[in-house]
Amino acid sequence: MRRLLLTLPLLFVPFVAAGQTVGGDQVSDMAWLQQQSSLKSGQPTQGSLLLQSQSSTTAAANNALLSLNPLSGGTVSSSTLLYGVTPNVTAQVGVNQRSWVTQPRIVGSEVGAIYNAGRYSLGVSVAQDQVPNTTPLPRVLPGAVTGVNGLPDFDSSTQVNARGRVALTGNSGLLLGASVGRIRLLPGNLMGLSTLDQKALSFGIDHGPISGSIIGRTMAPEPGMPNSFTTDRRWNSIDLGVTWRLPWQGSLSFGAQNLWSSGNATNTPAGPPEPDQSRTPYVQYHQDL
């Protein structure tokens, strides 16, 4: 039986080689769980510092309820500095970078604080993501557009995030998250818009090594924008994901991005004229070395 369990992850290697990765929101939940676990075992005492670093093949960030196409591939690395303000309050400053091939494409930063009262914890932060060069994000695979929230012409975003956990038992709990922000697009994009308002809500549950989450997201043009045929449009979607943290420092994740959406755009030779909301199932096995 043990040999069977050890060989199961190998069955999913072809998916990883094809560029399948977990959506940003599910990785955000995983990072939150890992951070809460580390705070329980090694929370910085009042007046002390703790540095956390992560690196993986997942094209997602752990600082916001933003989403990347699961087929986009890429790598993400992040570092977070925690400072113990009081026995229950920890301040955090983090940076992350998502890359494709060898060129950095999206750089993010986050400033916030976490209140941990044992049974429940709450974190609030302000985050920003931006593209260092003013070019559309690359197509890594045929038909797979690298972008944020289905937008290949993503330029930058600023958002306020809140994430909390309520313990039900010693090894299970409820996860709640929310994000409100604004996305800026590159000039000359096919949508003919410069900014979009975005809101997201997430609900999850964890029990031992297994955690799952469902995320609802909505985007709409900034109110009062003139001369745009999409000013009255609104794009909604729901993602679903499950992660199993394995005993040998690995994790197996599966789910679907845009499990439900308000509508799919018709692609043009230049790309999608609206946010890409195609349903995308994924499977990922990740091994920490």
Side-chain angles (χ1 to χ4, degrees):
M1 183 64 180
R2 177 177 296 180
R3 181 177 300 176
L4 176 60
L5 291 176
L6 290 173
T7 57
L8 276 176
L10 299 179
L11 299 177
F12 299 97
V13 171
F15 290 96
V16 180
Q20 294 279 17
T21 58
V22 176
D25 302 312
Q26 189 177 350
V27 171
S28 186
D29 283 340
M30 291 170 59
W32 172 261
L33 288 174
Q34 293 172 357
Q35 189 175 69
Q36 295 308 298
S37 177
S38 65
L39 287 178
K40 290 178 183 179
S41 59
Q43 180 171 347
T45 58
Q46 184 173 352
S48 64
L49 296 172
L50 176 65
L51 179 63
Q52 296 178 337
S53 297
Q54 294 179 347
S55 180
S56 71
T57 58
T58 305
N62 60 4
N63 69 335
L65 288 174
L66 295 176
S67 175
L68 283 91
N69 192 313
L71 294 176
S72 62
T75 60
V76 56
S77 58
S78 63
S79 296
T80 302
L81 183 64
L82 303 172
Y83 175 75
V85 181
T86 71
N88 299 104
V89 178
T90 302
Q92 63 173 4
V93 178
V95 294
N96 64 78
Q97 177 179 281
R98 281 156 286 179
S99 307
W100 290 267
V101 192
T102 59
Q103 184 177 4
R105 291 295 183 176
I106 300 180
V107 177
S109 59
E110 178 186 25
V111 177
I114 301 172
Y115 176 77
N116 193 329
R119 183 181 177 186
Y120 64 90
S121 57
L122 174 65
V124 179
S125 65
V126 177
Q128 184 179 47
D129 296 273
Q130 61 183 359
V131 179
N133 53 354
T134 56
T135 58
L137 295 173
R139 289 176 180 266
V140 180
L141 295 174
V145 179
T146 303
V148 176
N149 287 19
L151 302 165
D153 295 304
F154 172 84
D155 179 45
S156 63
S157 67
T158 303
Q159 55 274 339
V160 178
N161 305 314
R163 189 177 297 276
R165 182 181 186 273
V166 179
L168 300 178
T169 64
N171 64 344
S172 64
L174 295 177
L175 295 168
L176 299 173
S179 174
V180 178
R182 180 157 292 175
I183 297 175
R184 287 164 287 278
L185 304 178
L186 293 173
N189 63 83
L190 294 177
M191 294 182 64
L193 299 171
S194 59
T195 57
L196 291 171
D197 289 338
Q198 70 90 18
K199 300 179 180 67
L201 291 174
S202 69
F203 172 80
I205 186 168
D206 66 271
H207 180 72
I210 299 176
S211 62
S213 62
I214 182 170
I215 304 100
R217 187 179 298 103
T218 181
M219 292 188 300
E222 180 184 359
M225 292 187 61
N227 302 324
S228 174
F229 71 93
T230 58
T231 53
D232 59 343
R233 296 298 305 276
R234 184 180 297 272
W235 299 275
N236 306 298
S237 62
I238 293 178
D239 301 343
L240 178 66
V242 176
T243 296
W244 177 23
R245 296 186 301 279
L246 302 170
W248 50 87
Q249 302 300 317
S251 62
L252 177 64
S253 303
F254 58 91
Q257 188 181 73
N258 297 323
L259 183 64
W260 174 89
S261 62
S262 60
N264 296 326
T266 302
N267 288 346
T268 68
E274 298 185 10
D276 182 12
Q277 292 182 294
S278 57
R279 184 182 296 112
T280 308
Y282 61 84
V283 176
Q284 182 198 42
Y285 174 73
H286 173 71
Q287 180 65 56
D288 292 328
L289 300 177

